[in-house]
Structure formats: C-alpha cells, structure tokens
Amino acid sequence: MKKTSTRLADGRELIYYDLADDTVRDAVDRRPLDATVTTSEIRRDELLGDSVAIASHRQGRTYHPPADECPLCPSEGDRLSEIPDSSYDVVVFENRFPSLAGDSGRCEVVCFTSDHHASFASLGERQARLVLDAWTDRTSELSHLPSVEQVFCFENRGAEIGVTLQHPHGQIYAYPFTTPRTALMLRQVAAHKEATGGENLFGAVVERERAGERVVLEGEHWVAFVPYAAHWPYEVHLYPKRRVPDLLGLDEAARAEFPRVYLELLRRFDRIFGESEPPTPYIAAWHQAPFGPLDDFDGVTRDDFALHLELFTIRRTSGKLKFLAGSESGMNVFINDVPPERAAERLREVASS
C-alpha cells in the first residue's frame, strides 16, 4: 500500500491509498473553494447523560446529485470533484459538511473505489484489503488527535438508510467522548468481570455463539453469527477469533482472511430477499475500544474490549422496512419480527455456490 497525503483547495486533507507503490498523486484541486467554515457543537443531555452534536451547516450538504455530478467520482476534464485526480484506488478526505470538527472531533469520507456503479460487495479481495488497511491507518492517525477519544468506521448503504450520495463510500467519525453504545458494553463487561472473577464477556459470548445454531459463516480467523438478542431483522456480528481491542491489533493472518469472509457476508445480504429485489440496504459498523480513559468502568482496560463489526439491515421482508416507532424510538426497546435463529438459517441458505 502507498499512502499520499495532499490538500484540497479549501485546506481539507485528502489521502490516496494505492495498491501500486509507484503511483504518483500530484493532481491539484482546481476548484475555487473558500475555506471550510463549520458550526459543530457538542451539547450534553443532563437527563440521559449522553451527547448531541449540533451542526446546522449540514443543512446545505450535497443531496442526491445525478451520477454525472457525483462529488466522489474522480475529476475528469471540466467536471471537478472532491478527488482532484482522474482515477484512484481508495481515497479518504475530511468531510466538507462534518458533524464533528475542531475541538468536537473530526469526520472523514472513505471512498472504496472510483467506480460509481460498484458496491463494497462487488470489490475484489485486494481492493477490500486496501479498504481495511485505510480504516486501520485512519484509526491510528485519528487516535493521536488530542480531541479524539473514540474512532468509528462505518458504511451506510442504500437510500432507505438515508444515504444521499450513491457512490460506494463510508465514513469515519472521531468522537471527543466515549459513545453511549460503547459505554453500555463497557459497563456490561465490568459487571461480568466482577461477577465471574475475571472472565471476559466478549469471549464468553463468542464461545457460546460458536457452539450454537446462529453461526452464519466461520473461517480460520473470523466468525460471523446472528446474536441471541438481535435488534434488527437481519443482523450479523463479525469477530476475529483472537480478541483485540481495535483494528490496529489485527495480525496479518486475520487481515489476509478478512476480505474473503466479509465479501461473502455482504453478498449473502444481497441475496436474503431474492435476486429480483433491489440491493439490501444496510449499516456496517466497526466497534473499537475507546482511546480515552476508562476510569468510569471499574476494572476494565482496553484489552477487555473486543473489536467487532455489526452488520444489519432495516428491511424486514420483501418490500417492507423496519421502522423505529414508539417502543424503539421512545423507549429504546426493540421489537424484532424475525427470530434470530431463522435469520441465521436464511443467511446460510443463500451462501455462494
């Protein structure tokens, strides 16, 4: 992998990740852009104890442009985009309309390929590995920013999810705090550790699931399963078998196997509802240990956390979506219409031939 860092016309950082070590990236952003101005602010909810990002400047962000005006495609002739070069393998750049900025963290866009009509599932294994390497590199770099406590790499896929740019891409949020979902996990890990005299909760969960009926696929270094209490109609958790706190902890064997396992998982997701259905909308979310202090979680260290990816869709059956209504949105109590055992069975049924 070759990494080349440059600056866009408004001062934002852009980084090329290339498969070939001899690739030259010297294209200049020719757009007449003013310096980026953001109004991101973090406000704490005193009743719930969580934080909300207020980012009014995002109202003006690009919204469903036609394919020939996509800002994530390479620049070509007089059509200038966020990527100055005429081609790329993988690119990462600071979001022009960030939810988090400055002392409130940082937001980046990850373009998986220059092919506008591709998807992550259609990538080759070398390309998917390059994306993994880019995620890992950005996790390392962002973790050293003084305002950052947690790094979150994720992909939103599909208009039903709320995606406004159809080019295959994901995002990275670098939060200035430990996110509520991660805090919940850490509290459960702490309680389990104390109750069992030191057993790791993540390890116990993975061991139990590997012995049960909800495993979807398993490799030498990774295992994917539908969790016992899945919140979403089709939800899969992907874990490396050797527990590590973040992407930086993966060894070469796990990195080498990841593309095959993950691409197979995504391709099965696209077959859940049949070949005649549109591509399955999904969210793919990497959960990594915070880089900030864990003083609020008694006896828990970063090594107690387990890196994993959670992949889920809001489509519950053909032509129907799972909406977060009163119980889910009002009380955060999920109601799942698809039994996790049946979801796992279906994901095994649609394996590649």
Side-chain angles (χ1 to χ4, degrees):
M1 179 187 77
K2 181 180 180 182
K3 175 183 175 182
T4 306
S5 179
T6 185
R7 292 282 170 181
L8 297 173
D10 55 8
R12 289 175 294 132
E13 185 178 18
L14 179 143
I15 306 159
Y16 295 97
Y17 293 89
D18 287 295
L19 291 167
D21 291 338
D22 59 353
T23 303
V24 177
R25 297 295 185 187
D26 55 7
V28 176
D29 186 2
R30 294 180 284 128
R31 296 173 297 171
L33 298 180
D34 295 328
T36 300
V37 177
T38 63
T39 56
S40 181
E41 174 190 358
I42 300 296
R43 296 186 182 181
R44 186 164 180 80
D45 186 318
E46 295 179 1
L47 292 179
L48 296 179
D50 59 9
S51 298
V52 177
I54 309 297
S56 60
H57 63 277
R58 285 174 51 80
Q59 287 281 35
R61 66 188 185 275
T62 307
Y63 188 80
H64 290 299
D68 60 357
E69 295 179 17
C70 175
L72 306 185
C73 289
S75 292
E76 184 177 354
D78 293 331
R79 188 184 63 77
L80 306 178
S81 73
E82 289 279 68
I83 296 91
D85 216 327
S86 59
S87 66
Y88 64 84
D89 290 337
V90 172
V91 138
V92 177
F93 60 87
E94 288 184 76
N95 198 321
R96 191 176 178 185
F97 304 97
S99 302
L100 310 166
D103 293 339
S104 298
R106 176 158 157 154
C107 292
E108 297 182 340
V109 177
V110 184
C111 298
F112 303 141
T113 171
S114 61
D115 183 355
H116 181 84
H117 301 288
S119 67
F120 202 121
S122 71
L123 300 181
E125 290 189 13
R126 288 187 70 215
Q127 187 76 8
R129 168 62 189 267
L130 186 61
V131 176
L132 174 64
D133 290 341
W135 282 331
T136 305
D137 180 71
R138 297 315 301 154
T139 295
S140 176
E141 293 290 331
L142 293 170
S143 70
H144 289 94
L145 296 180
S147 63
V148 172
E149 285 196 14
Q150 186 171 356
V151 179
F152 175 46
C153 306
F154 65 99
E155 180 192 2
N156 298 330
R157 193 271 191 107
E160 300 95 326
I161 296 292
V163 175
T164 57
L165 298 175
Q166 299 309 310
H167 194 103
H169 73 287
Q171 299 182 66
I172 302 175
Y173 276 23
Y175 298 101
F177 49 79
T178 296
T179 62
R181 189 173 177 83
T182 302
L184 283 173
M185 291 184 194
L186 290 169
R187 284 195 285 272
Q188 290 298 103
V189 169
H192 185 84
K193 189 174 185 179
E194 180 179 4
T196 60
E199 183 182 60
N200 182 270
L201 177 58
F202 286 109
V205 167
V206 172
E207 182 179 358
R208 183 189 69 224
E209 292 291 2
R210 287 184 66 193
E213 60 181 316
R214 289 179 295 275
V215 171
V216 174
L217 61 89
E218 186 168 0
E220 184 178 354
H221 304 283
W222 294 86
V223 60
F225 55 84
V226 177
Y228 171 73
H231 289 58
W232 299 94
Y234 291 90
E235 174 182 340
V236 175
H237 293 189
L238 176 64
Y239 279 78
K241 291 183 179 179
R242 183 178 70 87
R243 190 176 76 248
V244 295
D246 51 43
L247 289 165
L248 304 173
L250 292 174
D251 59 23
E252 177 54 33
R255 293 181 186 280
E257 186 182 67
F258 171 77
R260 179 179 62 81
V261 173
Y262 187 49
L263 290 173
E264 171 64 17
L265 198 55
L266 292 180
R267 289 162 187 168
R268 292 190 192 190
F269 253 59
D270 272 346
R271 291 192 290 269
I272 292 173
F273 305 104
E275 299 293 337
S276 62
E277 286 290 312
T280 302
Y282 65 75
I283 293 174
W286 280 110
H287 291 262
Q288 306 191 77
F291 290 94
L294 300 180
D295 300 340
D296 293 338
F297 311 101
D298 295 340
V300 172
T301 69
R302 292 192 81 249
D303 289 337
D304 289 318
F305 196 84
L307 167 77
H308 63 284
L309 182 141
E310 297 185 7
L311 173 69
F312 59 90
T313 179
I314 63 171
R315 187 180 291 165
R316 57 186 175 88
T317 189
S318 181
K320 297 178 181 178
L321 300 181
K322 163 67 177 177
F323 292 101
L324 299 190
S327 185
E328 290 90 351
S329 295
M331 282 294 161
N332 201 28
V333 177
F334 276 68
I335 300 167
N336 189 353
D337 299 327
V338 181
E341 294 73 23
R342 174 54 190 149
E345 182 182 25
R346 177 58 181 160
L347 285 162
R348 290 192 297 268
E349 289 174 351
V350 294
S352 297
S353 57

